[in-house]
């Protein structure tokens, strides 16, 4: 994760949006620091897509004061568009063009002269490890290569803020981690990333700050660790060889819940070393023959379920 900034890349005050009688966004406030990764989470229908569409000038808000990259979105939409880039869930690349041709097409759309466009294209091909594939049609690219090219196309215009929607959907674990590192490198270079994702591991891994949206309202926000600390339920799982050992331990650790079939006791603990140490000392004091101990602390899945009532799908 990145070091937080004190300047706002995106500032939203009292954002509201309705479609007919349906309220989609209800008094939303956001303050996203420059040079950080912000993640907006929420179940389907919570208002995430509408928020991104408004911030990226694709949809008008009903009310609210919105600044993106220091520009007033209502009065200076062209300046906002010039300062940002959008990479959608599905790669916006042309399969019948080569990787380099896709980048040059984007350079033309940004009105770069031919020399500058070619320089930017070569720089981005090298940056995203696509030099060897630059002359190949994109139809031959793997999923990971297509996502890297798509992000490179977004960067042609040198945006200060990037809206990333599901950047690793469909990627294998290695390609996903490669994309994560690319995102970190972008932020290290000063770019702000607004990330929407259904992958809570991704949000936990990348985000400096998270807001959880439900029924059009922000129901919680904070760092991943701050959100996880709000949710009770951390526990140690003690595994035993037989039912007699399980019974003995249960008699001592009265607050534990038990699973007789799996021969497991679940003992509540918090996220401090002292809590685990106290449990291990009790096991040793009473000579309780646990075979092994594993720790489960609340994760973002637990947070998501507790706040929205919906299990999140990865």
């Amino acid at each position: 994760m990145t070091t937080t900034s004190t300047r706002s890349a995106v500032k939203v005050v009292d954002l509201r949006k309705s479609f007919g009688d349906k309220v989609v966004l209800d008094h939303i406030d956001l303050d996203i620091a420059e040079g950080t990764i912000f993640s907006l989470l929420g179940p389907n229908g919570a208002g995430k897509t509408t928020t991104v569409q408004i911030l990226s000038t694709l949809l008008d808000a009903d009310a609210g004061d919105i600044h993106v990259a220091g520009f007033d979105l209502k009065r200076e939409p062209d300046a906002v568009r010039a300062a940002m880039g959008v990479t959608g869930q599905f790669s916006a690349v042309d399969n019948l063009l080569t990787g380099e041709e896709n980048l040059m097409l984007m350079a033309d759309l940004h009105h770069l002269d031919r020399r500058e466009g070619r320089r930017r294209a070569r720089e981005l091909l090298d940056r995203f490890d696509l030099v060897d594939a630059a002359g190949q049609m994109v139809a031959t690219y793997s999923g990971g290569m297509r996502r890297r090219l798509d992000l490179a196309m977004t960067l042609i215009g040198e945006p200060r803020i990037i809206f990333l929607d599901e950047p690793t959907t469909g990627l294998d674990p290695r390609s996903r981690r490669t994309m994560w590192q690319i995102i970190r490198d972008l932020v290290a270079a000063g770019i702000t990333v607004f990330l929407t994702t259904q992958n809570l591991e991704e949000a936990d891994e990348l985000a400096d700050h998270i807001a959880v949206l439900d029924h059009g309202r922000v129901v919680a926000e904070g760092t991943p660790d701050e959100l996880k600390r709000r949710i009770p339920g951390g526990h140690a799982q003690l595994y035993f060889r037989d039912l007699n050992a399980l019974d003995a331990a249960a008699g001592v650790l009265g607050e534990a819940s038990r699973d007789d079939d799996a021969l497991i006791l679940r003992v509540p603990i918090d996220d401090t070393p002292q809590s685990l140490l106290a449990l291990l000392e009790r096991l040793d004091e009473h000579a309780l023959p646990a075979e092994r101990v594993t720790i489960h602390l609340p994760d973002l899945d637990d947070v998501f379920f507790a706040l929205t009532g919906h299990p999140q799908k990865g």
Side-chain angles (χ1 to χ4, degrees):
M1 296 181 193
T2 57
T3 301
T4 56
S5 166
T6 56
R7 297 180 58 185
S8 296
V10 177
K11 187 158 181 80
V12 176
V13 179
D14 200 26
L15 170 60
R16 284 167 280 164
K17 181 67 180 178
S18 298
F19 295 106
D21 294 333
K22 181 176 175 56
V23 177
V24 179
L25 298 175
D26 191 5
H27 301 280
I28 300 296
D29 295 334
L30 297 173
D31 192 353
I32 302 171
E34 283 186 343
T36 64
I37 301 173
F38 170 85
S39 185
L40 185 63
L41 304 180
N44 292 335
K48 302 187 302 296
T49 299
T50 301
T51 301
V52 172
Q53 288 178 334
I54 291 172
L55 296 181
S56 57
T57 76
L58 297 176
L59 188 65
D60 291 333
D62 293 339
D65 183 32
I66 305 168
H67 286 78
V68 177
F71 300 107
D72 186 290
L73 187 141
K74 184 179 293 185
R75 295 198 300 265
E76 304 169 286
D78 290 341
V80 169
R81 293 184 192 108
M84 71 174 192
V86 180
T87 300
Q89 181 175 352
F90 303 102
S91 297
V93 296
D94 190 321
N95 287 329
L96 299 181
L97 298 179
T98 67
E100 185 173 17
E101 287 170 343
N102 268 279
L103 287 168
M104 289 303 298
L105 175 61
M106 190 60 62
D108 289 341
L109 292 173
H110 280 278
H111 306 293
L112 301 181
D113 65 50
R114 202 68 181 168
R115 177 179 294 180
E116 177 62 14
R118 195 169 297 281
R119 183 193 70 79
R120 288 287 294 152
R122 288 173 177 166
E123 175 187 285
L124 290 165
L125 288 167
D126 180 62
R127 184 175 183 178
F128 288 88
D129 195 23
L130 292 169
V131 172
D132 291 342
Q136 299 174 16
M137 283 202 309
V138 172
T140 68
Y141 282 21
S142 68
M145 293 168 67
R146 292 169 65 88
R147 293 303 284 168
R148 297 202 306 274
L149 177 62
D150 195 27
L151 186 51
M153 290 168 65
T154 301
L155 291 173
I156 277 283
E158 299 185 311
R160 293 158 54 188
I161 300 168
I162 297 177
F163 292 91
L164 278 181
D165 183 21
E166 305 286 346
T168 61
T169 295
L171 299 188
D172 62 74
R174 177 174 294 180
S175 297
R176 182 166 61 248
R177 292 195 174 274
T178 297
M179 182 59 72
W180 287 355
Q181 188 56 51
I182 288 171
I183 293 169
R184 292 189 189 97
D185 292 342
L186 292 175
V187 175
I191 293 174
T192 304
V193 172
F194 188 115
L195 173 70
T196 57
T197 180
Q198 297 287 342
N199 185 334
L200 295 183
E201 179 191 6
E202 184 162 273
D204 200 359
E205 184 75 22
L206 293 176
D208 298 292
H209 198 83
I210 291 172
V212 181
L213 199 62
D214 192 34
H215 294 99
R217 285 182 171 271
V218 174
V219 294
E221 60 179 312
T223 68
D225 285 344
E226 286 170 347
L227 291 179
K228 286 182 281 189
R229 283 198 293 268
R230 292 179 54 168
I231 307 301
H235 63 266
Q237 292 197 154
L238 309 178
Y239 296 79
F240 295 91
R241 183 187 299 273
D242 53 46
L243 194 56
N244 288 334
L246 179 67
D247 287 337
V252 172
L253 305 172
E255 71 274 30
S257 63
R258 57 189 289 164
D259 183 335
D260 288 2
D261 293 331
L263 298 175
I264 293 173
L265 279 183
R266 295 182 179 88
V267 183
I269 62 170
D270 57 34
D271 61 354
T272 64
Q274 292 80 4
S275 181
L276 176 59
L277 181 59
L279 173 61
L280 295 177
E281 287 175 344
R282 290 181 70 188
L283 291 175
D284 183 60
E285 178 185 352
H286 295 277
L288 298 173
E291 295 291 300
R292 62 190 177 96
V293 179
T294 61
I295 305 300
H296 174 82
L297 296 175
D299 56 22
L300 284 184
D301 289 277
D302 299 314
V303 172
F304 195 93
F305 184 79
L307 293 174
T308 71
H310 302 282
Q312 177 74 316
K313 303 297 184 183

